[in-house]
Amino acid sequence: MTNKRDQLILGIETSCDETAVAIIKNGREIIANVVASQIESHKRFGGVVPEIASRHHVEQITIVLEEALRQGQLKMEDIDAIAVTEGPGLVGALLIGVNAAKALAFAHEKPLVNVHHIAGHIYANRLVNEMEFPLLALVVSGGHTELVYMKEHGHFEVIGETRDDAAGEAYDKVARVLNLPYPGGPHIDRLAHEGTPDLDLPRAWLEPGSYDFSFSGLKSAVINTVHNAEQRGETIAPETLAASFQESVIDVLVTKAIQAAEEYKVKQVLLAGGVAANKGLRTALTTKFQKHEGIELVIPPLSLCTDNAAMIAAAGSVLYEKGQRADLMLNGNPGLDITIHNNWG
Amino acid sequence: MKILSIDTSNYALGIGLLDENQVLGEYISNIKKNHSVRVMPAIQTMMNECGVKPADLTKIVVAKGPGSYTGVRIGVTIAKTLAWTLNIPLTGVSSLEVLAASAGRHFNGFICPLFDARRGQIYTGLYRFKDGRLVTEKDDQLVLTADWAPALSTLSEPILFVGNDVSIHQSVITDALGDRAVFAEITEHNPRPAELALLGRDRIEEDPHSFVPNYIRLAEAEAKWLDAQKTK
Ligand SMILES: [Zn+2]
């Protein structure tokens, strides 16, 4: 049931290889959540092909929109605002969601709210647990590895980010070395649980006090280890390699998250992004944060970790209240900075 | 009746608004600027000026390609979203056909619209007007100008070449066709959005859910993948 004073936000997300539309009530309740995944198509190429992603988005966009309204038993007139991912992401893919959102906003004279994709990932948590500030979000995905500090709703401060590969990228590259099918992350996670981390792989702590990340050295070390073993006529069990690699990644992520959580005296730590689906990371964070009284760890369910539009609508809900608006000139922005959302007083 | 037409398939950006018996408005620009930023504001401005509200629209007609992949997707996405959400018919028209109609309505002979597709290639087709109706003589295709122009030399009537990219291919065309090649004036090279609306006016509607651009070409990765499947 929805009554007239409920706020209903329709969210659209097309930044990579999921065409997604969702409707969220009052920022926290999922009324509809539809995701058309293209993963089967991109599997043929071992990764997301931008042109093919854009083509699939055009094929899917109105179908997914209609399905979301059908699930929610709603009409466009019932919607208060349209939230859409402006960036970052693949530019050609972003353009489909942005232009569909603008057409809808124009046709029904609805406000348009532009949302940063990572803000969306963070706000996926609000569909599970109310946020308590200040908080720290650990965002880990195929394209991102960031620590984002939030002192209040709609205000984002990046205190650490990757200087080279994102964690998810490192997973995909190591998966390729192990000849695992795309996407490699879940396969490495599974293998890691079957093996023991016996290999000594590097951890890039960077300079003291830095919350930045670097995974390219680790990736190279994995490739070299495999290569050297081959030259000696040996093979390393994939389980061992996966376990050692995963331990190295998780060690750095968890340690930096805890240090930052302590320094910034946060009440909550949120895990966000596709790699949040990683069991090893979830377990390690849960174990470590159990020892920290006063810091609540929030991990969204798997379905909200990967790209979806519920998270975009959830972020859009708060940003709409804060007065964030886009006009019909809105464009897809592949390099968008999350601090676009900090512009009010 | 109020038909909105949208063409973002190439550099020219065109928006048209057609009433029963008259063109209410047309917006055309021919500059290398981002369509994604400019289309919706152009639609809004023109509809405002003409006093037409989204709910007044009775049909959307869109240029469905060929052209720039990203460009044509912008127009098609807007067109299918508007048609679906306003619950009005949608029709797609070949971007080349629009160009042919824009310049050749009173031309006595064949009309050859073209867009440059780099490396000596063009997107083109062959059209002509018969009893006031535009007829397709050769389907839209991607072809080397050096192959296309000689193939047209068997035709006994003059051929009108039209499009902003004609000058790039003019010498190859003249070499093959001599006097039979006629070149449109610069004022005729932009596809007219009102012609687009008129071409689509009486055509059958398409399902917005399944409507996609006519890219002519597969995505490069897709083509390579298909080739690899054949050799397996
Ligand atoms: Zn994401």
Side-chain angles (χ1 to χ4, degrees):
Chain A
M1 273 296 288
T2 57
N3 64 54
K4 279 218 174 81
R5 283 154 69 198
D6 285 328
Q7 179 220 54
L8 289 168
I9 305 290
L10 180 129
I12 301 176
E13 150 68 35
T14 63
S15 69
C16 190
D17 61 344
E18 325 274 3
T19 316
V21 176
I23 301 165
I24 298 296
K25 184 163 95 178
N26 299 328
R28 298 208 50 207
E29 190 184 326
I30 298 176
I31 300 295
N33 188 15
V34 184
V35 180
S37 175
Q38 309 173 357
I39 198 152
E40 287 303 320
S41 176
H42 295 288
K43 260 184 186 167
R44 297 175 292 166
F45 314 110
V48 176
V49 179
E51 173 60 24
I52 288 170
S54 303
R55 291 186 180 199
H56 287 315
H57 286 307
V58 178
E59 291 161 12
Q60 293 295 328
I61 187 69
T62 59
I63 296 170
V64 176
L65 279 165
E66 183 164 290
E67 176 60 16
L69 289 169
R70 197 197 58 77
Q71 268 186 19
Q73 292 179 285
L74 293 164
K75 295 188 177 70
M76 277 307 298
E77 296 86 81
D78 305 320
I79 302 295
D80 290 289
I82 296 153
V84 63
T85 307
E86 178 186 2
L90 303 169
V91 65
L94 288 165
L95 285 178
I96 306 307
V98 165
N99 281 290
K102 290 198 292 186
L104 282 179
F106 171 70
H108 302 283
E109 294 179 60
K110 298 290 181 187
L112 189 62
V113 181
N114 51 325
V115 176
H116 190 281
H117 183 75
I118 295 301
H121 272 304
I122 294 171
Y123 270 86
N125 281 282
R126 198 162 177 247
L127 300 166
V128 184
N129 244 2
E130 186 53 280
M131 292 159 109
E132 284 190 54
F133 300 99
L135 65 76
L136 180 75
L138 172 61
V139 186
V140 205
S141 74
H144 298 271
T145 310
E146 289 176 15
L147 279 167
V148 181
Y149 172 74
M150 292 180 70
K151 62 178 182 189
E152 61 189 3
H153 270 305
H155 192 281
F156 307 88
E157 197 182 322
V158 178
I159 61 168
E161 61 194 325
T162 183
R163 293 184 186 170
D164 39 60
D165 294 348
E169 250 177 302
Y171 266 90
D172 284 340
K173 285 174 184 167
V174 168
R176 229 166 281 158
V177 173
L178 291 173
N179 288 316
L180 297 169
Y182 173 85
H187 294 284
I188 293 195
D189 192 21
R190 178 177 48 79
L191 281 177
H193 285 272
E194 295 165 11
T196 47
D198 297 333
L199 294 173
D200 190 22
L201 293 171
R203 283 139 175 79
W205 299 111
L206 306 173
E207 46 311 336
S210 169
Y211 293 120
D212 281 352
F213 301 96
S214 166
F215 295 102
S216 71
L218 172 61
K219 175 196 68 193
S220 306
V222 169
I223 294 168
N224 287 339
T225 305
V226 172
H227 191 69
N228 292 343
E230 272 170 8
Q231 295 219 313
R232 292 195 302 270
E234 301 165 11
T235 48
I236 300 167
E239 294 82 2
T240 308
L241 198 69
S244 308
F245 165 75
Q246 173 138 315
E247 191 192 58
S248 175
V249 172
I250 290 175
D251 192 9
V252 176
L253 291 175
V254 173
T255 305
K256 294 216 175 202
I258 287 179
Q259 282 171 359
E262 286 171 349
E263 186 186 330
Y264 285 83
K265 298 187 174 56
V266 298
K267 291 190 180 137
Q268 267 182 346
V269 171
L270 312 180
L271 184 59
V275 181
N278 184 290
K279 284 199 203 77
L281 180 57
R282 287 169 171 253
T283 312
L285 281 172
T286 308
T287 313
K288 286 282 164 84
F289 275 99
Q290 263 165 8
K291 295 174 198 149
H292 281 264
E293 293 268 330
I295 301 180
E296 186 194 11
L297 177 71
V298 184
I299 304 181
L302 300 182
S303 62
L304 295 174
C305 291
T306 48
D307 288 352
N308 64 82
M311 68 187 203
I312 300 303
S317 165
V318 165
L319 297 166
Y320 172 65
E321 293 290 330
K322 291 250 180 190
Q324 169 117 16
R325 295 291 183 275
D327 62 21
L328 293 180
M329 287 178 74
L330 182 68
N331 198 10
N333 185 344
L336 190 69
D337 198 311
I338 198 166
T339 53
I340 55 148
H341 291 312
N342 300 352
N343 288 342
W344 44 80
Chain B
M1 190 193 81
K2 300 270 188 299
I3 299 177
L4 174 70
S5 59
I6 305 168
D7 185 355
T8 61
S9 51
N10 290 276
Y11 285 129
L13 168 60
I15 309 294
L17 203 51
L18 186 69
D19 205 343
E20 310 290 321
N21 295 312
Q22 60 177 336
V23 176
L24 291 180
E26 271 189 294
Y27 173 85
I28 307 175
S29 67
N30 178 37
I31 43 175
K32 289 185 190 180
K33 270 193 184 166
N34 196 316
H35 287 336
S36 174
V37 173
R38 302 188 301 131
V39 188
M40 283 310 307
I43 292 173
Q44 186 181 41
T45 303
M46 197 178 62
M47 284 178 58
N48 270 348
E49 285 193 8
C50 299
V52 176
K53 292 198 161 57
D56 301 333
L57 295 174
T58 56
K59 187 170 195 174
I60 309 285
V61 182
V62 65
K64 66 178 180 184
S68 141
Y69 294 166
T70 301
V72 72
R73 270 196 291 269
I74 290 167
V76 166
T77 299
I78 290 170
K80 64 191 270 178
T81 305
L82 285 177
W84 165 74
T85 200
L86 294 169
N87 198 19
I88 55 174
L90 169 70
T91 290
V93 173
S94 153
S95 303
L96 287 162
E97 200 181 339
V98 183
L99 191 51
S102 302
R105 195 164 277 284
H106 302 289
F107 183 74
N108 205 357
F110 294 94
I111 312 159
C112 177
L114 66 86
F115 302 116
D116 182 53
R118 280 175 277 193
R119 290 183 295 237
Q121 302 175 102
I122 48 174
Y123 288 117
T124 191
L126 197 68
Y127 295 86
R128 74 176 309 165
F129 274 95
K130 274 189 186 146
D131 306 322
R133 285 188 58 241
L134 190 62
V135 178
T136 307
E137 298 283 339
K138 282 180 194 285
D139 285 337
D140 293 355
Q141 55 194 281
L142 175 72
V143 62
L144 283 166
T145 315
D147 292 336
W148 176 254
L152 298 181
S153 64
T154 56
L155 302 171
S156 55
E157 289 173 68
I159 305 162
L160 176 68
F161 289 85
V162 57
N164 285 302
D165 302 329
V166 161
S167 59
I168 304 172
H169 302 271
Q170 190 157 358
S171 64
V172 179
I173 293 165
T174 310
D175 286 351
L177 297 167
D179 289 350
R180 253 176 302 150
V182 181
F183 296 94
E185 188 50 72
I186 56 164
T187 50
E188 298 171 307
H189 285 322
N190 287 325
R192 291 273 310 277
E195 286 287 359
L196 171 60
L198 187 59
L199 285 170
R201 185 182 65 186
D202 303 321
R203 289 199 193 168
I204 53 158
E205 60 182 285
E206 304 187 51
D207 178 0
H209 288 329
S210 56
F211 186 75
V212 289
N214 177 17
Y215 298 105
I216 302 266
R217 266 190 288 199
L218 289 171
E220 207 181 328
E222 185 103 43
K224 281 184 184 158
W225 182 81
L226 284 171
D227 278 348
Q229 300 308 300
K230 278 179 207 146
T231 56
K232 260 184 188 171

